[in-house]
Amino acid sequence: MLRQYELVERVKEYDPEADEALLNRAYVYTVQKHGTQKRASGDPYFSHPVEVAGLMTDLKLDQETIATALLHDTVEDTLTTIEDIERNFGPDVARLVDGVTKLSKIEQMPENERAAENLRKFLLAMSEDIRVLLVKLGDRLHNMRTLNFIKNPEKRQRIARETMEIYAPLAERVGMYEYMREMQLLAFEQLEPDGYQTITQRLEQIRRQDKGQVDAIALDIKHVLAQAGVRVEVTGREKHPYSIWRKMAERHVTFEQITDIMAFRVICEDELDCYRALGVLHTTWQFLPGRFKDYISTPKSNGYRSLHTALLYENSMRVEVQIRTREMHRLNEFGLAAHWAYKQGARPDGQVGWLRDLIEIVDASNDPEELLEHTRMAIYQDRIFAFTPKGALFQLPRGATPVDFAFAVHTNLGLQTVGAKINGRHVPLRSQLANGDVVEIIKNPEAEPQLSWLGFVVTGKARAAIRRAVRARERAEVAALGQKLFDEIASRVPARIGKKATRAAVARLGMEEEEELMYAIGAAKLSDKEVMEALVPGCTAELGPEEDWKQKGAISIRGLSPGAGFQLAECCHPVPGDRIVGLRRPDQPVEVHNIDCLAVAKALDADWRDLSWGPRSQGAVGRMRVTLYDRPGTLAEAAGIIARNLANVRGLHQTHRDPPFTTYEVDVEVQDAKHLHRILSALRASDAISGAERV
């Protein structure tokens, strides 16, 4: 563990103007607050924040970040508050500590919610200050280094899986490849112990048997380049064990079938030498087609720059070679942290431009699972490069389509997309883009995104925007239905309903605006009685007999024992007038089914009861399947027909959308089977409706 003076000296080496008093106070504070707390390893707890601070000094980060690393667990694990941190260390450090603390607290939540909420907090915290992420990545890396001290194997697996799925990809996304590789290796050891053991043993065996082959190849490469007048440094190594494991899984091959286990790095003086070195290597040894990538002229979205190639060395041995300058190497290994250290707060747009898309995804995602899906799509996939007709470059996941491209350019362009050209040719919107394609988007301001696009888009941004637009469209349709039902309900109250009464009703129901009320009515979240009471308080006490069945109904069943409970089956929705049968199981109310219900034939574990409707039974819920033409106003037309036939909608669910048709299941409260069939006949007679049937 770093001692206090050692930590301060490290910071002063690269930042002579650093506030030594601030760093000393933060060090002493974390030691005092964590006191006698112990880690799973038995070490004093404060050794962890001190080591995280040491990692931050390796990245040459500013004094506020070092102080944050020292203090990042005090609010979570001691009685310290954010107010205490601000009082002692200032608002900047307090804000950073608060950001890291919010991320850490989430780890007690259920796994899916925790992972989603972690991502949400990450994105929002990074949008305010990227240093929050840098400290959190250092925190996670040190926790992974000491993971083997945790005795509970399930907890180790959970932490390793979270690291592999969230933290390592985020480290890669900001270009911190050293952190990414070590996190992946440590997580791999926990998640696939047999695979880890096998690969590391094989690599060790190769190391013992190759008799310095890696060094010999590196020396050969350096000699060839020196003869051509290119001064370089060359290092070689076996590939990362997790990288080999992933390659084995992707190619469905054994370790012995992996031929490119060795990788070499060539460090040049300048950018021109990189291309000269590439030319020399390609003329000395055969290069493998399809394996050359130029990330110098077109960097990765995280700022990574390098030339990648693969060569066929002697004895048909495949070796991978990366060629870069010393400055590129420094930035490549530590990414955004290196930029931050040397620009003190400047945020290179190419490095974090993808954050804007992720923040948009946070706003558009409807639930934790959706957020996880969209965000993982945004940060995990391999990239391709495509261009607008004017030459603007966009990076997209492999398998992206013109729709993904349109949303990458601008969300509004994606929403208005109606067609596309790739390299001047009209293509279907589901066509996959290739590296270097020029994509022209054809738009129409009146267009709307189609639900079917979700079947082929691959970017999280596109999926989130499409789902948000579809939900908004469906909400508008349900609100239109609610408006029709509202007009019918308003006609039954003993007063003339105008804007003033409607606004008062919205306020009484605790809503913000009229559209919210119409949506609640259309979605069957409010009963007729609740709406009428909100419009004219006390009016439902004077309802006439015609309205009475609409509010409460009166159902009795013949054939049951006195006092026996019953429930109308949800699978067939029997209504008065249907032939019915009862299914009786021990300690359960009798289920009342339509006699034609398939559930009756399958109910071998229940006793049958012959039942019939009691006198004056009326007011049950029937279910209809209604297929509408997919154009504006058709749902409102269906709602008007139901309302004119004095039926009350109790539920509405879209089951299919297959342009030009949309199918809904509609639950309606009716008097009896005749009433339900009358509604179905009226629906079928409408030009807006393709078909209607009872479910």
Side-chain angles (χ1 to χ4, degrees), residues 69 261 267 412:
I261 288 175
I267 306 296
N412 287 340

Side-chain angles (χ1 to χ4, degrees), residues 334-519:
F334 298 107
L336 195 60
H339 275 285
W340 183 276
Y342 282 81
K343 298 192 180 181
Q344 287 300 318
R347 300 165 102 185
D349 191 60
Q351 285 274 77
V352 293
W354 55 278
L355 264 177
R356 288 190 294 271
D357 290 348
L358 294 185
I359 297 303
E360 196 170 320
I361 286 171
V362 169
D363 294 336
S365 298
N366 204 38
D367 52 47
E369 288 75 16
E370 211 173 90
L371 176 64
L372 273 177
E373 174 198 351
H374 294 162
T375 312
R376 283 174 175 161
M377 293 174 82
I379 66 176
Y380 291 0
Q381 296 163 310
D382 292 337
R383 318 300 283 179
I384 64 162
F385 300 93
F387 298 86
T388 67
K390 293 184 177 180
L393 172 67
F394 287 87
Q395 298 188 42
L396 294 162
R398 197 168 300 281
T401 65
V403 175
D404 295 296
F405 183 88
F407 279 104
V409 174
H410 198 282
T411 300
N412 287 340
L413 180 62
L415 296 175
Q416 297 173 11
T417 296
V418 293
K421 293 180 181 180
I422 297 179
N423 302 325
R425 291 177 51 248
H426 279 281
V427 296
L429 288 177
R430 63 174 58 247
S431 303
Q432 291 191 3
L433 303 178
N435 247 332
D437 280 345
V438 176
V439 185
E440 180 183 350
I441 300 299
I442 302 167
K443 66 176 184 176
N444 182 342
E446 304 299 320
E448 292 182 327
Q450 300 301 309
L451 191 64
S452 59
W453 290 358
L454 293 175
F456 57 78
V457 295
V458 300
T459 58
K461 182 179 181 181
R463 294 185 79 84
I466 292 165
R467 282 176 170 159
R468 179 170 56 183
V470 169
R471 278 197 294 267
R473 187 165 64 216
E474 289 174 354
R475 184 180 178 89
E477 291 180 346
V478 172
L481 166 65
Q483 182 66 60
K484 290 283 186 181
L485 296 174
F486 174 82
D487 293 342
E488 191 274 327
I489 293 168
S491 69
R492 289 189 272 126
V493 299
R496 184 168 182 172
I497 301 302
K499 288 291 182 184
K500 183 178 179 180
T502 303
R503 285 195 296 270
V506 169
R508 289 188 188 106
L509 291 167
M511 297 177 178
E512 297 292 330
E513 53 189 19
E514 189 175 320
E515 190 272 342
E516 190 178 352
L517 171 61
M518 301 310 160
Y519 176 78

Side-chain angles (χ1 to χ4, degrees), residues 47-286:
S47 65
H48 166 67
V50 170
E51 291 300 328
V52 175
L55 289 172
M56 298 299 99
T57 64
D58 291 338
L59 300 176
K60 296 180 171 57
L61 295 179
D62 62 294
Q63 62 190 30
E64 285 82 8
T65 309
I66 307 301
T68 299
L70 288 167
L71 301 166
H72 77 271
D73 276 337
T74 53
V75 175
E76 181 187 0
D77 294 326
T78 75
L79 298 178
T80 304
T81 65
I82 289 296
E83 289 72 26
D84 295 332
I85 300 293
E86 182 170 358
R87 187 166 53 252
N88 287 284
F89 302 99
D92 285 345
V93 173
R95 177 173 48 80
L96 293 172
V97 170
D98 189 39
V100 180
T101 301
K102 285 176 181 175
L103 300 179
S104 301
K105 282 184 176 178
I106 297 161
E107 296 182 6
Q108 302 305 316
M109 297 170 62
E111 186 163 350
N112 246 19
E113 286 183 35
R114 183 183 62 250
E117 203 55 34
N118 247 328
L119 283 174
R120 188 185 300 275
K121 296 291 187 184
F122 251 134
L123 304 179
L124 295 178
M126 279 194 295
S127 69
E128 294 175 5
D129 198 320
I130 201 71
R131 290 175 292 178
V132 170
L133 171 62
L134 302 181
V135 174
K136 189 59 182 176
L137 290 178
D139 171 52
R140 177 50 62 113
L141 179 59
H142 185 257
N143 281 332
M144 288 301 296
R145 288 175 176 175
T146 57
L147 186 62
N148 59 305
F149 290 108
I150 294 177
K151 294 180 180 179
N152 186 336
E154 290 183 3
K155 185 176 181 181
R156 289 201 307 270
Q157 288 254 329
R158 174 182 65 75
I159 294 171
R161 186 163 50 252
E162 191 175 69
T163 299
M164 189 71 86
E165 293 182 353
I166 296 175
Y167 292 92
L170 275 167
E172 179 184 19
R173 207 66 176 83
V174 293
M176 297 177 68
Y177 285 93
E178 282 290 330
Y179 275 42
M180 177 203 74
R181 282 191 287 267
E182 188 173 352
M183 284 183 188
Q184 286 178 338
L185 181 64
L186 295 168
F188 176 44
E189 183 179 5
Q190 296 294 331
L191 297 173
E192 298 287 349
D194 293 339
Y196 173 84
Q197 191 74 17
T198 300
I199 292 175
T200 51
Q201 285 177 354
R202 290 289 291 114
L203 288 174
E204 181 59 34
Q205 185 180 354
I206 290 171
R207 213 171 288 126
R208 288 196 305 266
Q209 294 174 352
D210 74 358
K211 299 177 182 177
Q213 188 177 34
V214 172
D215 292 338
I217 295 173
L219 191 60
D220 202 2
I221 291 174
K222 185 173 183 178
H223 179 67
V224 166
L225 293 173
Q227 283 186 324
V230 185
R231 294 178 56 191
V232 297
E233 293 177 14
V234 182
T235 57
R237 57 176 176 80
E238 295 91 1
K239 279 196 173 176
H240 192 261
Y242 176 68
S243 172
I244 295 173
W245 169 265
R246 193 165 61 180
K247 193 165 289 187
M248 288 166 59
E250 289 171 355
R251 299 181 185 176
H252 304 288
V253 295
T254 64
F255 183 94
E256 287 69 22
Q257 292 172 295
I258 298 287
T259 56
D260 48 351
I261 288 175
M262 295 182 187
F264 296 86
R265 188 166 290 148
V266 177
I267 306 296
C268 300
E269 294 293 326
D270 55 39
E271 196 171 300
L272 182 59
D273 278 350
C274 292
Y275 288 100
R276 290 177 61 204
L278 178 71
V280 172
L281 295 179
H282 279 190
T283 54
T284 305
W285 294 287
Q286 180 183 346

